[in-house]
Amino acid sequence: MDESGGVEKVGRAVQELVLKADNVPKNYMYDEGGCGFGDALMPSEDDGIPVLDLLRLSSSSSAQQELPKLHRALHSWGCFQAINHGMESSFLDKVREVSKQFFQLPTEEKKKCAREPNDIEGYGNDTIYSEKQRLDWTDRVFLKVHPEDQRQFKFWPQSPNDFRSTVLQYTESLRLLSEVILKAMAKSLNLEENCFLNESGERSNMFLRFCYYPPCQMPDHVLGFKPHADGSTITFLLQDKQVEGLQVLKDDQWFKVPIIPDALFINVGDQIEIMSNGIFRSPVHRVVVNKEKERLTAAMFCTPDPEKVIKPLDMLVDETRPLLYRPVKNYVEIFFQYYQQGKRPMEASKI
Ligand SMILES: O=C(O)CCC(=O)C(=O)O
Ligand SMILES: [Fe+2]
């Protein structure tokens, strides 16, 4: 509790809890009887999370064969693993390395870019709203990385000293890649290729979240990230190279997301589910923790200009597919309000 008698909004770093406490604190624990979070299925190769070759998807000679695969992937799973995305393996290692070096710094050093109690940008973890809330076993660095004039460098780690240049280069690579994917998605729906990009606006936003999941003594009772769907248009996830943890819900069953070296895991977020009038689904996913090993990931969220009204594209609404969603504006804001109350933010838009 803070001095005003309310709940203290900024908790201790999970990384410190691991070092100091013998037991996992109660507000991180689900159900006493064991939840079997690790019991998810490993999808088979034929029937699993699709793997798409982005070079084939964007080259005119092979796109006609690849676009239907993209359509099927986003309709059934809402996600896929992207290979041949054009980023060197050594560069992806560099992105992982700068975040690892940051999380290895002493707490005092990391706190130099700590988030404010009522904001999410910077270094920190879950905002605490109530004592009943279940917290995620993770520390994060959350940064608004695009557009350029909205970067708040006071929240960006100064150390390691190549953190900033690496993040800027990664942002630019994913900004270009997001255009390739959003165009391919439109084409796979037989729409004009720029339609999702136009809906997102010229001042679309990008947010980068590095997550550090320390090892946890009770992996059956604790989650690294509770079940949620993303509020983005699309999300790019750079997974840990060795340690699995991400799971996707499909047909009421949890599936593990396998590690494919240097692939990017790409998923649709709620705003594309809305724009596509439900043809592409925004998958619910969660993260489990590991007893021995730490895990590090980087998630890049692309979102429309908050001033743009987002609604299903007219071309995707007809008698056979009636309008499923109401228009929304600044969905990222709505997203956090609903998420904090434990509600699926998409409910704000469903008809
Ligand atoms: O770290 C992961 O594997 C997933 C993180 C995630 O779902 C998110 O940041 O929204
Ligand atoms: Fe997510």
Side-chain angles (χ1 to χ4, degrees):
M1 293 282 208
D2 64 14
E3 283 163 11
S4 62
V7 175
E8 208 173 314
K9 286 196 166 167
V10 181
R12 221 142 152 213
V14 177
Q15 213 172 348
E16 280 182 63
L17 291 176
V18 182
L19 297 176
K20 299 206 171 126
D22 299 337
N23 292 313
V24 174
K26 247 175 63 195
N27 49 351
Y28 286 87
M29 302 260 286
Y30 291 83
D31 176 63
E32 297 307 310
C35 306
F37 291 138
D39 297 343
L41 300 178
M42 181 54 96
S44 69
E45 244 174 58
D46 308 333
D47 210 13
I49 297 171
V51 179
L52 297 184
D53 182 329
L54 293 197
L55 203 57
R56 286 181 57 78
L57 194 65
S58 49
S59 86
S60 50
S61 56
S62 44
Q64 283 320 315
Q65 289 128 46
E66 299 302 305
L67 289 171
K69 289 190 201 161
L70 176 70
H71 184 115
R72 277 199 300 276
L74 297 182
H75 180 64
S76 58
W77 284 92
C79 58
F80 62 94
Q81 305 248 33
I83 56 167
N84 266 334
H85 43 61
M87 275 182 283
E88 297 282 340
S89 172
S90 56
F91 179 61
L92 298 180
D93 285 345
K94 181 83 199 158
V95 175
R96 294 186 181 100
E97 190 54 33
V98 291
S99 78
K100 187 171 181 175
Q101 285 173 0
F102 170 75
F103 284 110
Q104 280 171 347
L105 292 173
T107 306
E108 282 318 306
E109 193 60 36
K110 284 185 292 225
K111 279 194 173 157
K112 288 184 182 159
C113 49
R115 69 174 178 84
E116 317 266 327
N118 286 313
D119 211 341
I120 49 169
E121 190 158 4
Y123 164 68
N125 48 20
D126 280 349
T127 303
I128 304 171
Y129 292 92
S130 86
E131 283 164 17
K132 290 199 200 116
Q133 188 180 341
R134 290 286 147 270
L135 302 178
D136 292 338
W137 192 259
T138 183
D139 295 327
R140 313 179 175 110
V141 177
F142 190 78
L143 303 171
K144 189 171 196 177
V145 290
H146 187 79
E148 223 175 297
D149 57 6
Q150 291 185 15
R151 293 175 185 148
Q152 298 201 71
F153 287 120
K154 65 176 177 180
F155 294 119
W156 293 46
Q158 305 265 338
S159 175
N161 53 26
D162 47 359
F163 182 95
R164 189 188 288 195
S165 58
T166 307
V167 164
L168 292 179
Q169 191 183 341
Y170 189 55
T171 302
E172 185 53 14
S173 303
L174 289 189
R175 195 184 63 74
L176 296 174
L177 206 51
S178 71
E179 292 186 2
V180 172
I181 308 279
L182 288 169
K183 282 184 183 176
M185 282 165 51
K187 284 198 269 185
S188 83
L189 290 162
N190 294 321
L191 300 174
E192 197 280 309
E193 69 171 8
N194 286 314
C195 65
F196 288 129
L197 283 168
N198 293 341
E199 294 297 306
S200 296
E202 283 190 3
R203 285 179 62 75
S204 60
N205 291 184
M206 289 168 79
F207 299 88
L208 179 59
R209 172 154 66 208
F210 288 107
C211 281
Y212 172 78
Y213 304 94
C216 178
Q217 282 309 303
M218 307 197 74
D220 275 338
H221 297 262
V222 173
L223 283 174
F225 220 120
K226 60 178 82 54
H228 68 283
D230 293 344
S232 54
T233 48
I234 49 176
T235 306
F236 295 90
L237 182 77
L238 178 62
Q239 288 219 76
D240 193 288
K241 242 179 154 172
Q242 270 104 34
V243 185
E244 277 173 8
L246 181 62
Q247 300 181 349
V248 174
L249 189 65
K250 181 174 183 279
D251 305 327
D252 295 324
Q253 173 68 53
W254 289 104
F255 290 90
K256 294 181 186 175
V257 177
I259 295 172
I260 302 180
D262 300 325
L264 287 171
F265 175 83
I266 302 182
N267 67 275
V268 158
D270 290 353
Q271 302 206 57
I272 285 288
E273 180 168 324
I274 296 171
M275 289 185 212
S276 71
N277 199 24
I279 296 176
F280 293 157
R281 54 183 290 265
S282 167
V284 171
H285 51 284
R286 69 181 185 186
V287 174
V288 299
V289 287
N290 190 291
K291 206 165 176 175
E292 282 101 34
K293 296 179 194 143
E294 59 182 22
R295 177 171 182 266
L296 270 150
T297 61
M300 183 74 87
F301 304 93
C302 302
T303 68
D305 177 344
E307 294 302 318
K308 294 281 274 185
V309 174
I310 300 304
K311 56 179 181 34
L313 296 170
D314 292 340
M315 300 72 85
L316 301 177
V317 182
D318 58 28
E319 306 83 64
T320 57
R321 177 163 281 277
L323 188 72
L324 292 178
Y325 305 92
R326 267 189 287 272
V328 287
K329 199 173 147 190
N330 200 354
Y331 186 76
V332 174
E333 190 109 315
I334 300 172
F335 184 87
F336 284 110
Q337 282 167 19
Y338 270 67
Y339 186 65
Q340 283 147 20
Q341 296 161 23
K343 290 196 260 178
R344 177 103 202 251
M346 197 62 140
E347 298 310 319
S349 176
K350 272 202 178 131
I351 289 180

